[in-house]
Amino acid sequence: MSRIIKQANPKLTEANISRALSRIPYARFLGIKPLLMGSELTMVLPYSDSIIGNSNLKALHGGAVGAFMEITAIVQLQLSSGSKKLAKPIGINIDYLRRGNPKDTYARAIVARQGRRVANVRVRAWQDNYEDPITILHGHFKSAHIED
Amino acid sequence: MPNTPSTIAEKLESLWSLAPTTIERTPHAKELGMKFVAIDIGQTTMSLPYNPNLIGDADTRVMAGGAVTTLLDQCSGLAASSLFDPPVSVATLDLRIDYMRAATPNEAIVAQAHCYKATKHIAFVRAVAHDGDSDDPIATSQAIFMTAPIPNAEADKNSSETQLAGKESR
């Protein structure tokens, strides 16, 4: 089974994901970790007190969750394109559906379209249940292999 | 709210007594090293000094788009909060960001937000991030905020003020 998946997506290995993440100091700062199940990449934003945005409500900062989803999109694009350069955001939209509670957050990105110059990506972030997302991002990213 | 000179002065005094400590009271904004710069009714300015921890691409040493997102969200939230009377804590409902260019390495990023309309519970905010010249933006954003529920139903009258501009994801 794992051989079939690897054939389908040879770039999706723990080592490649760690390599992509190591190029993003901000991902390390947020403590973001990859979780690979088959060929599905899920990113984890572990809870820490430093990502709280509202101390009274113990709610996560909207910016921290937004940044987490952007990084999830960039890493997913890097893996699917195999490019040496990282994708850059052009325009993104974030919908905040539920309060981020003080616990771990997960995110998964889907490349809706990989064009030659731009890619359209959708990211869902959730906590308790994949079916109950706390935030959804969609946006365009400059394809990694395009020069400025 | 009647906009007489004395009510405006009162409101500004209250904003300036609370807003400068808003970063201090927002753990994630403090963690990133954000700085409060200025506030007016519905308008705020904040900055994010260059920080190697916030780099988004080790090759270019440019601060991550995500750090700009957080700065714009924080700054816009305070602008939204300041338009309510009394100021209340707000939650982000919707945030759109356009990234025009990369930030300059080693330079601070400045964000300026303008809350141009607030209804009873909803506020609309435009913001721009730049590194010195607002006509040459790094990013622009458009956001919608909703007033956050007060955690304790018995919260005293002052609690909404002490919560000024607490930021959260909804």
Side-chain angles (χ1 to χ4, degrees):
Chain A
M1 181 68 186
S2 71
R3 184 182 296 165
I4 293 166
I5 288 161
K6 275 185 181 166
Q7 275 170 358
N9 196 345
K11 286 148 196 157
L12 211 53
T13 64
E14 295 270 3
N16 278 350
I17 298 162
S18 299
R19 205 171 301 135
L21 270 176
S22 71
R23 293 175 54 194
I24 310 174
Y26 188 44
R28 203 172 5 180
F29 182 74
L30 289 172
I32 294 172
K33 292 188 188 107
L35 196 64
L36 192 58
M37 288 176 288
S39 61
E40 276 184 340
L41 172 64
T42 304
M43 298 287 262
V44 189
L45 175 66
Y47 173 72
S48 83
D49 290 341
S50 67
I51 58 171
I52 287 288
N54 184 320
S55 304
N56 294 311
L57 298 173
K58 272 283 197 182
L60 300 188
H61 198 292
V65 181
F68 170 52
M69 290 193 294
E70 276 179 65
I71 289 168
T72 301
I74 291 167
V75 171
Q76 185 71 55
L77 283 169
Q78 218 269 339
L79 294 171
S80 54
S81 73
S83 163
K84 288 197 180 76
K85 286 181 74 181
L86 295 175
K88 295 191 184 90
I90 300 170
I92 58 160
N93 293 267
I94 306 171
D95 292 334
Y96 292 91
L97 311 174
R98 292 181 176 81
R99 175 190 303 169
N101 288 315
K103 54 173 82 166
D104 293 357
T105 307
Y106 305 92
R108 203 175 284 170
I110 292 168
V111 181
R113 178 166 194 264
Q114 173 73 67
R116 253 178 10 92
R117 292 179 297 170
V118 297
N120 182 288
V121 186
R122 269 120 227 277
V123 185
R124 170 194 287 239
W126 72 96
Q127 290 186 320
D128 294 317
N129 186 335
Y130 179 82
E131 295 303 327
D132 300 324
I134 61 163
T135 49
I136 293 174
L137 174 151
H138 68 99
H140 285 97
F141 289 73
K142 188 154 49 168
S143 289
H145 57 277
I146 297 293
E147 300 293 324
D148 283 314
Chain B
M1 176 183 67
N3 278 325
T4 65
S6 65
T7 56
I8 292 172
E10 230 170 77
K11 172 90 179 175
L12 280 174
E13 199 179 324
S14 126
L15 286 177
W16 274 94
S17 72
L18 291 163
T21 58
T22 182
I23 305 279
E24 194 61 36
R25 289 179 281 114
T26 307
H28 191 60
K30 191 178 163 190
E31 177 86 358
L32 263 57
M34 277 181 209
K35 306 278 180 225
F36 166 85
V37 178
I39 190 161
D40 199 340
I41 299 164
Q43 302 204 43
T44 47
T45 306
M46 282 185 190
S47 74
L48 180 65
Y50 186 74
N51 179 347
N53 284 327
L54 307 182
I55 289 172
D57 186 341
D59 292 347
T60 62
R61 298 194 55 78
V62 170
M63 279 206 273
V68 180
T69 303
T70 306
L71 175 67
L72 287 168
D73 184 41
Q74 183 75 28
C75 189
S76 299
L78 182 60
S81 172
S82 76
L83 211 60
F84 289 98
D85 198 25
V88 289
S89 178
V90 295
T92 320
L93 203 57
D94 180 300
L95 177 64
R96 169 170 181 90
I97 304 183
D98 294 319
Y99 299 92
M100 274 87 191
R101 65 173 175 89
T104 315
N106 302 310
E107 294 288 333
I109 300 175
V110 178
Q112 290 176 286
H114 179 205
C115 180
Y116 55 94
K117 173 72 185 173
T119 67
K120 196 172 176 206
H121 294 295
I122 304 287
F124 304 87
V125 186
R126 269 192 286 266
V128 58
H130 59 87
D131 44 22
D133 176 6
S134 62
D135 289 333
D136 183 20
I138 293 165
T140 58
S141 67
Q142 171 76 47
I144 302 173
F145 293 88
M146 204 169 79
T147 55
I150 294 169
N152 178 355
E154 294 302 311
D156 63 70
K157 267 183 150 182
N158 293 327
S159 73
S160 60
E161 291 204 2
T162 55
Q163 283 171 40
L164 173 64
K167 276 293 297 95
E168 59 164 323
S169 67
R170 184 178 176 248

